[in-house]
Structures are given as structure tokens and as C-alpha cells.
Amino acid sequence: MSRDGIAANDGVHAGERLHDRLQIAVGDRTFRRVGQITNTHPETVRRYLGGHAPSVDFVSRLSESLGLNINWVLTGRGPMRQAQVKPHVLREANATDLLTHVALAIERLESRMDRLERYTQVLETMIRQGENAAAKPATSVEAKPPEGDHVSPASAEGRSDAARSRADSVADALAQRPRPDAR
């Protein structure tokens, strides 16, 4: 293995196979063109494609630039193109694996929907507090969104007319929406 490179011999003729895959990936591109797309000197490209152990950076940049599946480049397993990986995996996966991943995706979506619902409730509370504060000036309690939400609603005070108009539209829409606890 080169100091910064990939093993040239991790088994019988493994270096040749890596070299062959690099040659297939590069196709009829010139050393200069490969050097441009990988930000590597053309002479270095020539050495790598001639059989020297390529650096990890070179293989990574080549794979990214040409849309190659890095697993195919390194091991020869799987499809050559990154775009073909998902269909390949789906063909090879068993039904249990697929159903497990679908269930996990649904759980993540449910969690996001719950956070969105909590955030909507916070906004609704803030709008109602703003309406109450406009009716009778008193101390204002500032509601905060639940942990993990990165958007913080603006306070009701100091809003421009356009912002107040948007807030009124949201308040009207929320007032017409059935309350989640009434289900």
C-alpha cells in the first residue's frame, strides 16, 4: 500500500483488478481530461492508470466525478454506476428488509408530523396571546417551539402591517381548523 494510497495487493491480482476497473471507468478519456476532473496532474494519472497504487483522494474524486459506485471501484462488487446502486439493492433485498426500512421511514415521518403539530399549536397559542394582548395591554408570555425545531416565531410586538396581515390570515386558518385534542 502506498503511504496515502489503496492496497495494490489485497489478494491474488487484486491490484490488477483495481487497475482494470479504473481503466474501464476512464474509458477513452485522456490523462489530461482525467486530471482535470480529478484535480490531479496528468502524469500522476498516467502512473495510476499504468498500474501504480492510486491515492484515496484520486479514487474518491474519480468516482464522484464519473458517478461511479465506490464499492465497485474498490472491490468489483455491485453495479459500476452510483445511479444503479438503489435499483440493484432493491432487486437483491428480501421482503423483510424492505418492510423493515419502510416501517422505519414511516416512524420518522410520524415523528416529524408530531413535531409539526406541536409547532402549529405553539403558533396558534402565540397568535391568541397576541390577540389578547391587543385587547388588554398586560404582560406577555413568550411561547417557544419544542426542542429540535430550528425556526423561532417572531414576537407579536413590532410586526409590520404586512406581517400582521399574514399572522391574521394564519390565525383565521387555524381558527377554522379542528383542534387535534377534539378527535
Side-chain angles (χ1 to χ4, degrees), residues 163-178:
R164 184 168 298 280
S165 173
R166 285 192 302 269
D168 290 342
S169 299
V170 170
D172 292 341
L174 288 173
Q176 294 173 5
R177 182 171 122 341

Side-chain angles (χ1 to χ4, degrees), residues 59-135:
V59 173
S60 175
R61 287 190 298 251
L62 182 69
S63 297
E64 186 176 334
S65 298
L66 299 180
L68 301 174
N69 172 9
I70 192 71
N71 189 43
W72 175 82
V73 172
L74 296 175
T75 66
R77 286 185 236 128
M80 178 178 168
R81 301 280 174 205
Q82 183 63 32
Q84 299 166 333
V85 170
K86 191 173 186 176
H88 173 76
V89 169
L90 289 173
R91 278 191 310 275
E92 299 294 320
N94 65 39
T96 303
D97 290 342
L98 291 174
L99 289 174
T100 300
H101 285 285
V102 167
L104 290 172
I106 289 171
E107 286 177 13
R108 285 191 304 269
L109 286 172
E110 285 175 339
S111 173
R112 288 179 179 173
M113 291 298 295
D114 289 344
R115 286 195 330 255
L116 184 59
E117 183 66 34
R118 287 193 309 264
Y119 186 69
T120 303
Q121 289 172 355
V122 167
L123 286 176
E124 187 176 27
T125 302
M126 290 179 68
I127 290 169
R128 288 188 179 150
Q129 286 176 348
E131 289 171 355
N132 292 341

